[in-house]
Amino acid sequence: MDDRKERATKTETAYRLLRRDILTARLMPGAALKLAMLGEAYGVGWTPLREALSRLEAERLVTAVSNRGFAVAPVSRHELENLSRARLVVEVPLLMESVEKGGSDWEEAVVTTHYRLSRCKTALEDPSDAAIDAWDECHEAFHAALIGAADAGWLMRFRATISDQLRRHHRALSLTPAVRAAAAGHKGGSEDAMAALREAQSIGSHTALMQAALDRDLERTKALMIDHIGFTLNVYTRTAEGGLELMARPAAE
């Protein structure tokens, strides 16, 4: 392998590892991304790391801090609300088109991904990183399958970007504090957050959405999808009202 190919491979490795840890909130929003620390954690040199961080900055997952290097991009309720609105604008029309055009292959993909999601434990059933990652992946696969018959490449790319940003906002603002509160046995103010998280990850709501789509019931599918998009914001609202936001902070802080 020549030097350019080797560097490109190392850059890609650094990019994928950093991106994974940012999206799953293992690297929390606002955290400083120091090259020495990252190099030790990922076993990658400074040059590939800088190139990977520049790519992530272009994706708005990382911010450059003047004279201080890079940090994980922040999250906020305002951004979460904007992302939820963007998902409504982009994903609902894709879903409607997919329901209208989808054939037997689309139906099979929807049923298969729903089954895989049904086999996953929710965050309240198993709060381990591995279980939460597995649920996230299956959940994303299910929604990708639902819109899979739409013929709109640019909208699909926009939707993927929105989905990634929503995933890390949900992890940092809602899921992490709610799960930590449950693990710590917090009672005051946490019950509503737990109930909202349970509803958001319930297989029942996903089953209803799948059935409406397979029945080609456009109005019901649209209504259920709009409700579904509101679940993430509802979990955050209940988390904030319960005073659990600080539970999202890493224990070392």
Side-chain angles (χ1 to χ4, degrees), residues 63-139:
T63 57
V65 183
S66 179
N67 299 320
R68 294 174 58 191
F70 294 91
V72 179
V75 296
S76 68
R77 176 172 187 152
H78 178 68
E79 281 289 293
L80 178 59
E81 290 172 344
N82 276 339
L83 286 164
S84 297
R85 287 173 58 195
R87 187 181 179 193
L88 279 170
V89 171
V90 173
E91 191 163 340
V92 171
L94 287 172
L95 179 58
M96 296 298 95
E97 180 181 344
S98 193
V99 170
E100 289 185 297
K101 293 182 176 179
S104 58
D105 288 345
W106 170 77
E107 291 180 348
E108 182 179 350
V110 171
V111 171
T112 299
T113 53
H114 173 270
Y115 172 74
R116 289 172 182 161
L117 180 61
S118 74
R119 304 294 293 173
C120 291
K121 290 185 177 180
T122 68
L124 293 179
E125 293 171 327
D126 184 348
S128 68
D129 285 341
I132 292 172
D133 288 349
W135 190 93
D136 263 350
E137 290 169 10
C138 288
H139 184 249

Side-chain angles (χ1 to χ4, degrees), residues 206-240:
H206 295 89
T207 301
L209 182 57
M210 175 190 70
Q211 196 58 60
L214 294 177
D215 289 344
R216 315 294 171 142
D217 187 335
L218 293 176
E219 289 304 314
R220 179 162 172 73
T221 301
K222 181 178 180 179
L224 288 171
M225 189 62 196
I226 290 171
D227 286 345
H228 197 78
I229 290 172
F231 287 159
T232 297
L233 189 57
N234 187 46
V235 176
Y236 169 74
T237 300
R238 299 294 179 243
T239 299

Side-chain angles (χ1 to χ4, degrees), residues 6 14 28 68 91 140 149 156 158 161 186 227 238:
E6 183 177 3
M28 291 294 288
R68 294 174 58 191
E91 191 163 340
E140 170 59 22
M156 290 287 196
F158 293 150
T161 297
H186 282 251
D227 286 345
R238 299 294 179 243

